[in-house]
Amino acid sequence: MNKPLRRASIFCLALIVALMGWATWIQGAKAGEYKEDPHNPRVAIGKYAAPLGNILVGGEPVTGSAATSSTLKYKRTYKDGPLYAPVTGFTSQIFGHNQLESLYGDLLDGSDSRLQSPADALTRTRAKGGDVATTIDPAVQKAGYRALDGKKGAAVAMDPDTGRILGMVSTPSYDPGTFAGSDGSDQKAWKKMSADPDHPEVNRALRQPLPPGSTFKLVVAAAALENGLYSSVDEPTHSPDPYTLPHTRTKLTNENRAAPCKNADIRTALQYSCNTVFAKMAVDLGKDKVKAQAEKFGFNDDKVDTPVRAGKSVYPSDMDEAQTALSGIGQFDDQATPLQMAMVSSALANGGELKKPQMVDKLTDGGGNTVQDFGPAAYRGGKAVSAHTAGQLKSAMQTVVDKGTGSGAKIGGLTVGGKTGTAQHGVDNSGTPYAWFVSYAEDGKGHRVAVAVMVEDGHAARNEVSGNGLAAPTARAMMKAALA
């Protein structure tokens, strides 16, 4: 072989080796990446080639699959879509997926390796999709949804003993089935939802922190008892009425000017929702002690997973004493989700023990066999407050319902405790306030439930906005359904 021909042969051989190396790298090292690339049409074709597994509520599927005439052979369907959208999320052939549909997408479409049999792995066959069993109680969910109908708001109900989320409602809601496919009507439905000024796609129960108003007074009261500022909820405080914010001339007053707030004990201050008492209490404690207590309940944690991640609830750090006073009544820069306030009430109802909020009970394969089980777990060590503090505040919350601002939550035959809240909104409180209610109920047989409700009803008259009037009826309905 002459020299030019030998060089050409070596060059061609090098090209073949390079091509084989490139193909091996693509099929080996990069195969997984390309397989999961959402821009790869084979991903969508594979996902929708067979019916998806389902999301279960009360043991029954609230999702399904329907055959189509397109290359994506099946699309997702939803039973009572608006009712359960805050739980399921959506999966769409065009617009992707979120919440449980996203977190457990591999299990639902059968591509989760835990579902594959040896034969499936050998033949590279996708297994039958598995199911996601939630902790949601359909009676509690329906009760909350009906009670909030026509309002913009959210509600969360928890089992204090286990952390299981029994209800998660967000209104207005949306029907994820209207844009689950890939034709023109699906695109129109998505566009309509996206343009809605009330943002029905937002899960307000998890993802919209707002000022908690007077419901935050429970956190301040807990800090006062835990740090020995007061020994019981019946010990008089040192609280002027009105209260001048430190280093200012601004006088803080109470909504009810006739309320006995001067030097009131914590029970009375919660009963009448005395701003002056808790503003001064926060200053007396100092922002660091209030913050430490708030964080034991879950504030400032940006990784609260249900398993859907919740928005961070915030108790601020950089405040002067006047700002600390306002933070003590749930204003200034305080922010809380309904889930967060349900966690506060749940810890108090459970003797101070806080369980991690959990919305999924177990995962199963296509044959109903358990793939993963989720049992109760303590949140950050579990101890938010002592049993003594929890008992004291439970008693005071009962007084709020029996004799105070939370009468709308009374349920015959049940012990109910609660705290109302009306949070300022807008510059100089120019907007319609947010109405809050946090509560718990017990039936005397060891069954308990904790609920938090928030209503941001911009259509209500300002003088009609109250936690008792707008939010407590929803809490009452959910607690009654849980303990019926």
Side-chain angles (χ1 to χ4, degrees), residues 436-456:
W436 284 86
F437 193 75
V438 301
S439 58
Y440 73 89
E442 300 175 334
D443 66 359
K445 300 177 182 178
H447 304 129
R448 295 176 288 189
V449 63
V451 176
V453 181
M454 178 279 301
V455 178
E456 46 169 328

Side-chain angles (χ1 to χ4, degrees), residues 200-475:
E201 77 281 2
V202 175
N203 187 336
R204 290 175 166 82
L206 290 181
R207 302 292 306 168
Q208 184 164 290
L210 294 170
S214 292
T215 61
F216 190 77
K217 292 171 183 175
L218 291 171
V219 178
V220 178
L225 294 171
E226 288 289 281
N227 287 280
L229 185 62
Y230 298 104
S231 60
S232 82
V233 294
D234 297 306
E235 179 184 343
T237 64
H238 307 291
S239 310
D241 183 11
Y243 172 58
T244 303
L245 298 180
H247 314 299
T248 76
R249 295 180 180 179
T250 302
K251 292 185 180 298
L252 182 67
T253 59
N254 297 298
E255 194 74 22
N256 180 357
R257 299 297 176 92
C261 293
K262 184 175 181 179
N263 298 328
D265 56 40
I266 292 174
R267 184 188 301 276
T268 302
L270 288 173
Q271 178 183 347
Y272 290 94
S273 202
C274 298
N275 291 332
T276 51
V277 173
F278 292 99
K280 184 174 185 297
M281 195 179 295
V283 173
D284 290 346
L285 284 165
K287 61 185 180 183
D288 292 338
K289 288 181 179 178
V290 179
K291 179 183 177 184
Q293 182 59 66
E295 290 180 347
K296 289 182 180 179
F297 284 119
F299 282 82
N300 296 333
D301 183 354
D302 60 1
K303 295 181 180 178
V304 177
D305 296 328
T306 66
V308 178
R309 179 154 293 180
K312 184 169 75 170
S313 297
V314 176
Y315 183 76
S317 298
D318 298 326
M319 298 181 288
D320 58 27
E321 287 191 326
Q323 293 165 338
T324 299
L326 293 175
S327 78
I329 60 172
Q331 296 292 165
F332 185 54
D333 286 341
D334 294 9
Q335 299 281 306
T337 62
L339 174 68
Q340 173 60 76
M341 296 315 298
M343 291 169 68
V344 172
S345 184
S346 181
L348 298 178
N350 196 35
E353 299 283 345
L354 178 57
K355 298 296 184 180
K356 180 182 177 184
Q358 187 59 256
M359 190 167 55
V360 174
D361 181 32
K362 63 180 178 179
L363 310 178
T364 61
D365 64 17
N369 302 303
T370 299
V371 172
Q372 187 174 355
D373 216 338
F374 299 91
Y379 175 80
R380 286 187 170 180
K383 202 70 175 175
V385 294
S386 67
H388 172 76
T389 293
Q392 289 274 304
L393 289 177
K394 281 179 63 180
S395 174
M397 290 171 72
Q398 290 173 30
T399 302
V400 171
V401 173
D402 292 341
K403 302 177 182 179
T405 59
S407 59
K410 288 182 181 178
I411 304 173
L414 299 180
T415 299
V416 181
K419 180 68 191 83
T420 56
T422 306
Q424 293 183 4
H425 172 213
V427 178
D428 295 327
N429 196 21
S430 58
T432 303
Y434 304 122
W436 284 86
F437 193 75
V438 301
S439 58
Y440 73 89
E442 300 175 334
D443 66 359
K445 300 177 182 178
H447 304 129
R448 295 176 288 189
V449 63
V451 176
V453 181
M454 178 279 301
V455 178
E456 46 169 328
D457 196 344
H459 303 294
R462 184 182 180 85
N463 61 358
E464 295 176 356
V465 175
S466 72
N468 191 48
L470 285 180
T474 299

